Amino acid sequence: MSGDERRGRRSDRLMGYTDRLSVAPGEPIELMVSSDAAGYDAEVVRLTRGGPRTGGAAETFAYEVVGAAVDGTYAGRVQPLRIGSYARVDDRGRLAGRRALTLQAWVCPTAPGGGVQGVLTRWCARSRAGFGLVLDEHGAPALRVGDRLSSTGVPLLAGHWYLVAASLDLDAGRVAIAQRPVRRYAGDPDRALVEHRIAAGAVVELDASLPVLIGGESLEADGHLLGGFDGKLEAPCVLATGFDREALQRVLDGADGRELAPGGVLADWDFCVDMPLRRIADVSGAGLDGETVNSPVRAVTGRRWSGEALDHRLAPHEYGAIHFHADDLDDAGWEPACRWEVPVDARSGAYAIRLHAGEEEDFVPFFVRPPRDRATARVAVLASTFTYMAYSNYQIDPQRAAEITGTADFHRDEVDDVLAARADLGRSLYNRHGDGSGVVHVSRLRPLLNMRPTYRWLMSGGGGWSFGGDMYLLDWLGAGGVEYDVIADEDVHEDGAELLARYDVVLTGMHPEYVSGAQLDAFEQYTATGGRLMYLGGNGFYWVTTVMPDRPHVIELRRGLAGTRAWASEPGEEHHATGEPGGLWRHRGRAPQRLVGVGFAAQGGGPSVPYRRLPASADPRVAFVFEGVPEDAPIGDFGNNGGGAAGEEVDRADHALGTPPHALVLATSQGAHSDLFQHVIEEVLAMKPNQGGSECPDVRADLTFFETPGGGAVFSTGSIDWIASLGHDDYDNNVARITGNVLRRFLDPAPLRPRGSL
């Protein structure tokens, strides 16, 4: 069954996600849906042709209706998105009935003044009961007591650390709030200590089941966070004494409030403990451990950071902060609409659940991998699910897009307008939070609106990208009758080289940019022990990617201080929460050239271009590559993305970075690119001109081949747009022919080195 040229409208009125991106036969997968229609239809389909066609071709894709038991009509309902990260603690009644106490924390706000932000609270917005340390609407520290807000009236400065303490004594009818900056200035204009009177005997009790919140003011009954905090918090604690003005002055002068409280410490949370995890540890002995919600950033510099240790494992006491964001989203938490038990005989491949209601339509994709104990084909296709996640819900910056494409009249998919208006859908790793900090975490447990089979990417002239672009490869394989399994990044991350070893040939998609260390280990072992790898993309194996140990649906990225990047990590925050050094794999001695022969060289939004053959293409070792290809013909002067096979992001060979000495560079796009293609910043050590495609020799895509031990080999195209050229002229073109030649030869178990060739 083929999709109609006029696809249904895609919007936020009908959208969904699945609880996993890769599922094995015999296992369940759940679908979550939000729809404002009274009802919607759902059916499971297997995607057989995808990727938007450009150059006047029909914007169609094809799918097969599986005929699943869950196909049918479902009642629609709108499901909310609950954004904002915070920590939650069940105090088990330890704070109940307290007539006097002090709330204290180190605070570094990043967006003060945009409304009330909770720091450490046990307060209910509905009943207006409870208490809490907050920043008021102007950014000044304040204490909530019931429905009253008492403030210092002195706003905190963004990006500065402060000790903030708020004391409550109901019997004395007194509250006091103090703030002290870590960094001192003449006269200390942002230092304050104030005292306010309240009605003696006031009652602030609230439902004992409500939690203590760190980084938020109150939770609604439906789980929505009110008063989400933007910034860093460190060492929050609750003291069993309501300090008077004199005691608070001693705290401001440097005394430890924990030692001044005659009633002791009720709770004391140390964020230096268990940094990679949700858990926050109470070190007071009361056992009031809690957990973070919506994945705030841990292992970030605190108020004691000296700059001497850049790895938090070497000086954990200097990294005792958590960076909260009012727009973080980890798990949308929607109720499932249906649960499909994947049949044990289901074919591996790309699938989707098609949703339809009136004019609205959505395809929610996932992959059926092979059974967990065996392969069902000789060929495996790597679905770059970590990269799909990294770009998911990317909110495009029009100015940056115009700079890259060279025009303000760039293509914009209808989903892009939805994403621009819906920050609550969660941002991509290419965006910044509302407070200006870079997005470090991204989750698959939310609608990923641009991970769709027909999504048009602006940088590719409206062609396919990421998931949609990889559908071109599955399209070509299907047209050629090639049986294949699909394995996802998370599958390789978890199962390693044992999974890859089941296949004679592994093909990547167009952009395997984000990979974990476990994946690199697996691929290195695979190619070193006879595996044959076809890297059919560009800018691959580039960013260090970590799967969170207690949240496998979340990946973490630290951009470091170098590389072609959308934002830079803050000083001292280049290491992931697990301790793994972040940034580029090349800066850890694992440049892509070592694995696949080529690595990231240039990026641009200008026209894609063809390759030209080089003398090495006549080497007998690679005679099979060019069978049926005229020697003088340009390779790939066509394609769905920008009109050529070399474009968007391109890779080149470089022996200094690890390209094997016996590797052959068969063809190159050197000299054909416009100056919209620029040499990557990590290789430009000083400001200098002539870094564009028309002048810089390093701006190029290289087509390479080399053999590996045990009869293995690696063939690399070095361009994102190679795959987008496969389907040109009904698959009768030299890009498809070369790819097919290599695949057939790689499937042949005969040795790849002709006698006497080396």
Side-chain angles (χ1 to χ4, degrees):
M1 180 176 181
S2 294
D4 191 285
E5 287 187 27
R6 296 170 296 173
R7 301 302 323 155
R9 184 174 60 192
R10 293 171 294 162
S11 72
D12 57 350
R13 298 182 60 189
L14 175 67
M15 56 185 176
Y17 66 94
T18 54
D19 66 334
R20 54 210 303 190
L21 290 180
S22 178
V23 60
E27 297 177 351
I29 187 168
E30 290 187 335
L31 169 70
M32 279 58 68
V33 177
S34 178
S35 172
D36 64 1
Y40 60 89
D41 296 324
E43 62 179 352
V44 179
V45 301
R46 187 175 188 270
L47 302 172
T48 57
R49 185 186 191 209
R53 267 59 184 174
T54 59
E59 186 185 345
T60 62
F61 69 100
Y63 56 85
E64 303 166 350
V65 177
V66 171
V70 296
D71 293 356
T73 301
Y74 294 84
R77 62 167 170 165
V78 175
Q79 301 213 56
L81 291 160
R82 305 171 183 89
I83 62 172
S85 58
Y86 58 97
R88 177 185 178 123
V89 179
D90 177 4
D91 73 355
R92 302 197 300 273
R94 184 168 172 79
L95 303 185
R98 295 285 173 179
R99 306 292 296 169
L101 50 76
T102 295
L103 307 175
Q104 179 179 294
W106 292 91
V107 179
C108 179
T110 50
V116 175
Q117 300 183 32
V119 174
L120 176 59
T121 68
R122 196 171 187 270
W123 186 74
C124 177
R126 299 184 303 281
S127 65
R128 313 297 289 180
F131 52 85
L133 172 60
V134 303
L135 301 186
D136 69 15
E137 60 183 1
H138 304 294
L143 180 64
R144 280 270 193 210
V145 180
D147 60 359
R148 174 173 173 161
L149 185 67
S150 301
S151 169
T152 66
V154 180
L156 304 186
L157 299 176
H160 289 243
W161 278 104
Y162 296 82
L163 175 66
V164 176
S167 180
L168 164 67
D169 189 329
L170 291 176
D171 294 330
R174 179 185 66 235
V175 298
I177 311 101
Q179 62 192 67
R180 171 172 64 84
V182 169
R183 185 175 180 180
R184 304 292 299 275
Y185 293 98
D188 281 340
D190 49 352
R191 183 184 178 101
L193 171 58
V194 300
E195 192 173 55
H196 298 273
R197 305 301 300 177
I198 62 172
V203 177
V204 296
E205 275 306 310
L206 71 165
D207 185 343
S209 67
L210 291 178
V212 173
L213 299 183
I214 301 171
E217 186 177 28
S218 177
L219 283 179
E220 296 274 52
D222 63 359
H224 274 96
L225 178 69
L226 300 179
F229 182 77
D230 277 308
K232 296 179 179 180
L233 298 177
E234 182 175 358
C237 64
V238 183
L239 310 178
T241 300
F243 289 152
D244 57 17
R245 186 183 184 94
E246 180 181 350
L248 276 183
Q249 183 61 58
R250 292 176 62 190
V251 171
L252 291 187
D253 291 339
D256 187 343
R258 296 167 177 82
E259 298 177 357
L260 296 180
V265 179
L266 298 174
D268 188 3
W269 294 282
D270 185 351
F271 297 158
C272 299
V273 179
D274 291 333
M275 291 187 197
L277 306 179
R278 288 190 181 101
R279 175 178 178 259
I280 60 166
D282 173 21
V283 295
S284 72
L288 298 186
D289 295 346
E291 68 174 18
T292 62
V293 178
N294 276 334
S295 290
V297 185
R298 303 193 66 171
V300 294
T301 56
R303 95 273 188 183
R304 293 180 289 190
W305 186 61
S306 65
E308 294 184 3
L310 302 181
D311 182 345
H312 59 83
R313 294 170 298 180
L314 302 178
H317 64 285
E318 296 187 13
Y319 288 83
I322 295 180
H323 193 152
F324 297 92
H325 301 94
D327 54 6
D328 275 328
L329 178 62
D330 174 328
D331 183 348
W334 289 356
E335 292 295 323
C338 62
R339 175 187 174 99
W340 183 44
E341 299 284 342
V342 180
V344 294
D345 59 350
R347 294 171 58 198
S348 181
Y351 285 71
I353 301 177
R354 177 179 178 263
L355 306 176
H356 186 264
E359 296 181 354
E360 307 293 325
E361 182 183 48
D362 194 16
F363 284 79
V364 182
F366 62 95
F367 298 96
V368 173
R369 56 163 287 168
R372 296 195 177 273
D373 61 349
R374 66 187 187 278
T376 63
R378 297 176 62 196
V379 174
V381 176
L382 178 69
S384 301
T385 47
F386 291 165
T387 301
Y388 305 159
M389 290 169 61
Y391 284 93
S392 61
N393 295 353
Y394 179 33
Q395 295 172 312
I396 295 168
D397 178 357
Q399 180 177 350
R400 174 61 177 153
E403 291 171 352
I404 293 177
T405 61
T407 176
D409 188 25
F410 53 83
H411 174 84
R412 193 174 178 90
D413 192 277
E414 59 187 327
V415 166
D416 294 331
D417 293 328
V418 175
L419 296 175
R422 291 291 302 269
D424 60 334
L425 286 165
R427 293 176 162 90
S428 77
L429 294 180
Y430 286 79
N431 293 123
R432 295 176 182 268
H433 289 288
D435 69 350
S437 60
V439 176
V440 166
H441 295 122
V442 68
S443 166
R444 56 176 167 78
L445 293 183
R446 61 193 175 113
L448 310 179
L449 294 190
N450 58 356
M451 184 184 162
R452 295 299 185 258
T454 58
Y455 176 75
R456 291 181 174 275
W457 175 245
L458 68 94
M459 304 298 184
S460 61
W465 171 266
S466 201
F467 171 74
D470 285 348
M471 288 301 301
Y472 294 133
L473 176 59
L474 301 187
D475 176 8
W476 175 76
L477 290 169
V482 178
E483 295 293 329
Y484 61 86
D485 285 345
V486 175
I487 55 176
D489 281 341
E490 52 261 47
D491 299 323
V492 180
H493 173 81
E494 293 171 4
D495 298 343
E498 180 182 355
L499 172 61
L500 298 178
R502 298 171 188 166
Y503 298 96
D504 295 322
V505 186
V506 176
L507 289 72
T508 76
M510 62 166 48
H511 196 31
E513 181 178 7
Y514 292 82
V515 293
S516 68
Q519 282 181 276
L520 283 186
D521 292 342
F523 275 108
E524 287 176 356
Q525 183 175 341
Y526 174 70
T527 57
T529 54
R532 298 176 178 181
L533 175 63
M534 296 177 66
Y535 168 43
L536 302 180
N539 186 208
F541 308 100
Y542 189 68
W543 288 109
V544 176
T545 306
T546 296
V547 178
M548 300 309 293
D550 62 348
R551 286 152 288 164
H553 59 282
V554 174
I555 57 175
E556 179 172 281
L557 171 78
R558 304 291 177 106
R559 297 256 177 217
L561 302 176
T564 301
R565 60 208 187 279
W567 48 267
S569 297
E570 292 297 317
E573 298 181 5
E574 299 89 0
H575 284 68
H576 295 203
T578 58
E580 181 173 22
L584 304 185
W585 279 115
R586 67 180 284 170
H587 293 150
R588 290 175 57 181
R590 304 185 78 172
Q593 283 90 343
R594 290 182 44 163
L595 175 65
V596 293
V598 295
F600 193 27
Q603 176 187 35
S608 300
V609 301
Y611 299 73
R612 71 178 190 282
R613 288 175 64 169
L614 296 175
S617 66
D619 192 297
R621 290 163 54 195
V622 290
F624 65 90
V625 175
F626 297 99
E627 290 178 1
V629 178
E631 184 174 351
D632 297 330
I635 300 171
D637 55 345
F638 46 79
N640 278 306
N641 290 6
E648 292 195 68
E649 293 176 343
V650 294
D651 299 357
R652 75 168 196 282
D654 190 327
H655 295 297
L657 289 172
T659 301
H662 65 293
L664 298 175
V665 180
L666 312 178
T668 187
S669 66
Q670 184 179 9
H673 296 281
S674 76
D675 287 338
L676 285 173
F677 278 80
Q678 290 286 312
H679 192 194
V680 290
I681 193 171
E682 56 265 31
E683 297 185 343
V684 181
L685 301 182
M687 297 299 293
K688 57 182 179 180
N690 310 322
Q691 295 302 301
S694 69
E695 297 178 287
C696 180
D698 289 332
V699 176
R700 66 181 194 267
D702 286 340
L703 200 73
T704 62
F705 168 84
F706 62 92
E707 302 91 348
T708 65
V714 177
F715 171 78
S716 297
T717 64
S719 167
I720 282 180
D721 283 349
W722 180 272
I723 283 177
S725 299
L726 288 169
H728 176 73
D729 198 15
D730 199 23
Y731 317 103
D732 185 13
N733 62 77
N734 55 21
V735 168
R737 191 164 298 116
I738 289 170
T739 309
N741 288 343
V742 174
L743 179 57
R744 282 188 293 273
R745 182 63 185 87
F746 276 21
L747 285 170
D748 183 347
L752 282 158
R753 293 185 178 184
R755 185 169 299 174
S757 65
L758 291 177

